[in-house]
Amino acid sequence: MRTTRLFRCVLAALICGTLSHSAARADGETIAAFTKNQVDPHFEGVRAGVAQMAEKMRATVKYYTPTKPNNITEGMSQLEDVGVTKPKLMLFMPIDAKAQVPTVKRLIESGLPIINYNDRGGDAPYLSFIGQDDYKLGYDIAKTLFDHLGGKGNVVILEGVKGSTTGDERKRGFDAAVKDYPNIKVLASQPANFQRLLGMQTMENLIQQFSSIDGVISAADASALGAIEALNAAGRKNVAVVSINGVPEAVEAVKAGSLLAIAEFDGFKIGCVATAVGLNAIRGQSVPKQVIIPGAIITKANYAPWLVPYKDRTCPPADAYKGG
């Protein structure tokens, strides 16, 4: 798979550089790794990737995750804690970039190197951004659905969090694909906030409003799985659903045929690369300002690699890497 080879090349270069350059340098650095909640399996993948790469590069990790999902008050408190504990490196994804960036800037000014990963975190002077192209993920997965529908039909969109870069960029990609298919009609586009329960509740309301829905585009696996529950309960099992992420439960749904396809937004890979880039940077190497990891379209024809549990996955080997 071309995207997988490219990803391996990027990551292997990072690792190779680290092993060749930093072997004589001190290791054992502490990393503060932020994720947004403990309920979305995507972030479990991020933490698994961070853990594996940190162990491989002989660093230690302290995780910062709100006990209440995406709770900005806890997120702000945890940023303040980092200012006290002073790790050697921070991996940061925003819960609310607008609210958190001033504190992040103060931490950077105090000398803390910070990698922004997963979600873009505003205009702070990060060492690098590690993530994926949300616009392209949105465009590609919408196009996959529209092609499946033969270029015509009624669809609904379950958006992410309005105002978030991730959610807004994916929605922009959805909208761009709609413009390329004049016989696709968008009946409704509503936020489901990347959440399963809200995805189910929003879908239940849409089912009551519209008697004919041919397809559903979800900004995340969690809300897609909620939508599938609502569609099954309403006896509408023939509606094609697509989403973005690739968490194991959603890939199981692809295998079972209840989810048509997923645009891969791979937390495990993001965690691997962000940790490698960050440690390379604080060990004195130059690093790219951003690494955009390509994402595959996961379908019933190729789902098997994404069914592997995160704990059993392996960050790509050093010899597969050629440069960022």
Side-chain angles (χ1 to χ4, degrees):
M1 183 163 41
R2 186 171 65 84
T3 55
T4 299
R5 285 201 299 273
L6 177 59
F7 167 73
R8 285 184 169 183
C9 288
V10 171
L11 183 59
L14 294 167
I15 299 170
C16 185
T18 296
L19 295 180
S20 63
H21 181 78
S22 65
R25 302 181 68 90
D27 51 27
E29 300 97 334
T30 53
I31 302 171
F34 281 68
T35 52
K36 293 192 284 189
N37 63 64
Q38 300 181 41
V39 298
D40 187 337
H42 171 77
F43 299 117
E44 178 188 345
V46 173
R47 291 187 288 269
V50 170
Q52 185 176 124
M53 186 57 69
E55 182 178 10
K56 185 175 294 187
M57 297 178 71
R58 302 179 300 280
T60 60
V61 185
K62 180 177 180 180
Y63 298 98
Y64 288 87
T65 303
T67 57
K68 297 177 181 177
N70 298 37
N71 185 279
I72 185 59
T73 302
E74 286 188 72
M76 293 299 294
S77 175
Q78 290 174 340
L79 282 177
E80 297 295 341
D81 182 72
V82 166
V84 174
T85 57
K86 299 187 183 305
K88 295 295 184 183
L89 171 69
M90 187 168 112
L91 307 177
F92 175 70
M93 64 176 74
I95 295 171
D96 181 335
K98 189 174 181 179
Q100 291 178 291
V101 161
T103 302
V104 167
K105 287 182 176 178
R106 286 198 296 273
L107 290 171
I108 293 174
E109 289 170 359
S110 74
L112 175 61
I114 300 180
I115 295 285
N116 173 207
Y117 71 153
N118 199 79
D119 301 79
R120 289 193 182 272
D123 63 352
Y126 300 106
L127 291 174
S128 184
F129 170 74
I130 314 299
Q132 295 190 234
D133 184 338
D134 288 292
Y135 170 84
K136 187 175 189 310
L137 296 178
Y139 180 86
D140 288 349
I141 198 60
K143 185 175 184 299
T144 299
L145 174 64
F146 301 159
D147 287 342
H148 173 79
L149 296 176
K152 60 182 180 182
N154 298 326
V155 304
V156 298
I157 296 174
L158 303 180
E159 304 172 22
V161 176
K162 281 187 178 296
S164 70
T165 302
T166 301
D168 290 351
E169 283 296 290
R170 291 179 184 181
K171 176 63 165 51
R172 199 166 67 85
F174 301 155
D175 293 343
V178 170
K179 291 180 180 176
D180 291 342
Y181 290 80
N183 294 319
I184 290 290
K185 181 180 181 181
V186 178
L187 299 174
S189 182
Q190 298 182 5
N193 293 3
F194 307 124
Q195 294 177 14
R196 186 164 187 153
L197 179 59
L198 190 55
M200 182 178 70
Q201 293 171 336
T202 303
M203 195 70 232
E204 287 172 343
N205 291 333
L206 293 171
I207 289 170
Q208 292 180 357
Q209 292 178 49
F210 303 106
S211 59
S212 177
I213 299 174
D214 301 302
V216 177
I217 307 170
S218 171
D221 284 348
S223 43
L225 293 171
I228 289 170
E229 289 183 54
L231 289 165
N232 288 342
R236 297 199 195 182
K237 296 185 179 181
N238 292 327
V239 177
V241 182
V242 297
S243 69
I244 298 173
N245 277 133
V247 303
E249 184 180 1
V251 179
E252 286 282 1
V254 171
K255 178 182 178 181
S258 56
L259 188 57
L260 176 67
I262 304 169
E264 177 196 21
F265 183 73
D266 196 316
F268 181 80
K269 291 178 180 176
I270 292 170
C272 291
V273 176
T275 305
V277 169
L279 288 173
N280 279 341
I282 66 173
R283 292 175 182 180
Q285 295 188 44
S286 61
V287 296
K289 287 305 294 180
Q290 69 173 7
V291 177
I292 303 299
I293 300 169
I297 297 296
I298 305 168
T299 69
K300 203 164 186 175
N302 67 349
Y303 64 83
W306 291 277
L307 276 182
V308 177
Y310 293 125
K311 65 181 179 60
D312 296 328
R313 297 186 188 185
T314 302
C315 289
D319 60 3
Y321 182 7
K322 71 175 183 182

